[in-house]
Amino acid sequence: MDVFQQARLGPLTLRNRIIKAATFEGMARNALVGDDLIAFHRAHAAGSAAMTTVAYCAVAPEGRTQRHQLWMRQEALPGLRRLTDAVHAEGAAVSAQLGHAGPVANSRSTRLPALAPSARVNPQAMAMTRRATVADIERITAAHATAAELAVRAGFDAVEIHLGHNYFASSFLSPRLNRRRDAYGGSLANRAKVALGAARAVRDAVGDRVAVLAKLNMDDGVRGGLGIEESLEVARWLERDGSLDALELTCGSSLLNPMYLFRGEAPLREFAATFKQPMRLGVRLTGGRFIRAYPYQEAYLLDSARRFRAALKLPLILLGGISQRATMDLAMAEGFEFVAMARALLREPDLVNRLRADPATRSLCVHCNKCMPTIFTGTHCVLA
């Protein structure tokens, strides 16, 4: 396969096999789409990504990580339509990442309770999460379907269900975070009900009108969390259910170990600067226990992803350390249908154009990860 050839993704035909991965833009205000967010995604479309992904479209108001974050309701429809029209005008497709932050939600910011499989302290809000009731689970599952239907009406070509990073569905998959003893806890089959239920609800809502993807943790990167063997089993169940057109493979815990996904430098000073005192001092003094550095290398998730490729027929999207044409060619040779790029495109939205013109092009991204703290200020990476 050639990464620059057209490719089928469910009902879509994409102009190439390169997807702009969801990266929290921090550009929504009052939980609505504005001009900055539209311009951000238009730039990636103009740069020749086949599809750009609007990050963290929360399915419910308490499912936001902070109060300005976009959430899917009727009031958001006009702005969402402006965004999809702008991306389509540049010849690209656009996906809405649907999810519920669960225990990662900052309840002090949203002024709503953060929901989790089991009650625990949320270090961001310094408050307790609330144990989700069965009624909460059923409501959030239905909200995924409602949000997906709204995405179709807004002109999105795909929806991506967030089943990773210890957000709501992912937190239920985690043995460390899920201590329940009811039908949603204990066995993997029970812990997977939220993830499987969300995927099925979305597929039933949209049919084959748009592509349906999911982002799944291969492992949480924390002791006692979801590991690769259990994740493989969940992936097999998702494939068997037939609810997905493709699976994007990720890792890490936004709640407990975020840098496990973002390999490279750990910008502790920059993270601390986004907080007010005394939280700023606390992050400077103790943040190293949470914001850890992991060495960067190209295609750093490939070894784990190979196990999923060997076990599944479902189309897979390789994520993690993809910034060179040789890495893309390797992914195609190993049977991955698509690659997803994140930080390299934040640094250079036109990188795909440059790689197509000259395969020897080198990304300017140095994996300093200083783009990560900027999500709190509504800017993206401009650092070499």
Side-chain angles (χ1 to χ4, degrees):
M1 293 185 290
D2 185 332
V3 74
F4 284 105
Q5 287 183 339
Q6 287 188 348
R8 293 288 296 177
L9 176 59
L12 299 179
T13 298
L14 299 181
R15 63 187 177 187
N16 60 55
R17 296 177 180 270
I18 303 169
I19 294 171
K20 163 61 178 65
T23 51
F24 179 41
E25 306 92 350
M27 294 176 181
R29 293 293 177 267
N30 300 315
L32 295 169
V33 172
D35 292 342
D36 288 348
L37 187 61
I38 293 170
F40 177 88
H41 286 285
R42 181 190 286 118
H44 291 294
S48 288
M51 182 165 72
T52 184
T53 310
V54 181
Y56 305 148
C57 302
V59 301
E62 83 285 351
R64 296 169 290 168
T65 57
Q66 45 94 346
R67 66 179 178 275
H68 286 298
Q69 190 176 80
L70 179 65
W71 71 279
M72 302 292 277
R73 78 274 195 206
Q74 184 65 32
E75 186 183 358
L77 187 58
L80 291 168
R81 171 58 76 174
R82 286 177 56 218
L83 190 157
T84 61
D85 286 347
V87 171
H88 291 153
E90 299 291 348
V94 57
S95 176
Q97 184 188 64
L98 306 179
H100 189 290
V104 183
N106 187 331
S107 57
R108 287 192 176 185
S109 178
T110 65
R111 303 182 180 95
L112 295 166
L115 301 177
S118 308
R120 61 170 288 120
V121 173
N122 179 327
Q124 276 190 306
M126 294 305 295
M128 292 295 293
T129 59
R130 180 167 68 77
R131 182 182 187 272
T133 65
V134 172
D136 287 326
I137 295 168
E138 293 173 346
R139 172 180 59 82
I140 291 167
T141 301
H144 277 78
T146 301
E149 178 63 40
L150 185 72
V152 173
R153 291 167 55 203
F156 283 90
D157 306 285
V159 293
E160 176 186 292
I161 308 161
H162 205 321
L163 306 180
H165 304 169
N166 284 168
Y167 293 126
F168 190 73
S170 176
S171 67
F172 273 82
L173 288 170
S174 166
R176 176 166 174 168
L177 298 176
N178 185 348
R179 303 298 179 89
R180 300 171 74 104
R181 296 185 179 181
D182 64 359
Y184 293 94
S187 69
L188 179 61
N190 282 354
R191 287 184 277 120
K193 285 180 179 178
V194 170
L196 292 167
R200 175 40 54 191
V202 167
R203 174 57 79 187
D204 288 346
V206 304
D208 61 359
R209 291 177 290 169
V210 298
V212 179
L213 300 74
K215 176 172 278 188
L216 178 69
N217 266 16
M218 295 185 287
D219 72 285
D220 291 347
V222 297
R223 183 176 300 175
L226 182 75
I228 194 166
E229 295 298 338
E230 286 196 327
S231 179
L232 276 165
E233 190 63 23
V234 174
R236 291 186 186 99
W237 292 339
L238 286 165
E239 179 178 69
R240 188 180 310 149
D241 182 67
S243 53
L244 302 180
D245 294 306
L247 191 63
E248 183 174 282
L249 303 171
T250 187
C251 68
S253 170
S254 296
L255 187 68
L256 301 172
N257 191 9
M259 298 305 294
Y260 188 68
L261 171 59
F262 299 100
R263 310 294 167 91
E265 297 178 31
L268 188 60
R269 183 186 299 272
E270 287 78 8
F271 266 112
T274 66
F275 294 95
K276 296 179 180 180
Q277 297 289 13
M279 188 71 169
R280 178 180 299 180
L281 179 60
V283 173
R284 289 286 298 273
L285 293 176
T286 65
R289 300 175 187 174
F290 175 66
I291 303 171
R292 309 168 192 167
Y294 290 89
Y296 177 87
Q297 65 182 47
E298 278 281 316
Y300 53 80
L301 296 184
L302 179 58
D303 283 346
S304 295
R306 283 176 173 136
R307 297 188 59 182
F308 287 76
R309 182 65 292 163
L312 303 169
K313 296 180 180 177
L314 186 68
L316 298 180
I317 304 167
L318 183 66
L319 173 73
I322 298 170
S323 64
Q324 299 177 19
R325 176 64 187 272
T327 310
M328 299 175 180
D329 292 341
L330 175 62
M332 299 296 104
E334 297 219 7
F336 294 92
E337 282 78 8
F338 301 92
V339 295
M341 302 177 71
R343 287 168 293 178
L345 292 185
L346 294 183
R347 181 65 182 85
E348 299 173 275
D350 66 340
L351 180 58
V352 176
N353 277 334
R354 293 175 58 231
L355 285 166
R356 182 173 56 187
D358 179 5
T361 294
R362 307 292 292 190
S363 168
L364 296 180
C365 178
V366 297
H367 323 294
C368 64
N369 289 318
K370 291 179 181 178
C371 55
M372 292 181 64
T374 64
I375 64 174
F376 298 106
T377 60
T379 58
H380 57 279
C381 180
V382 294
L383 301 173

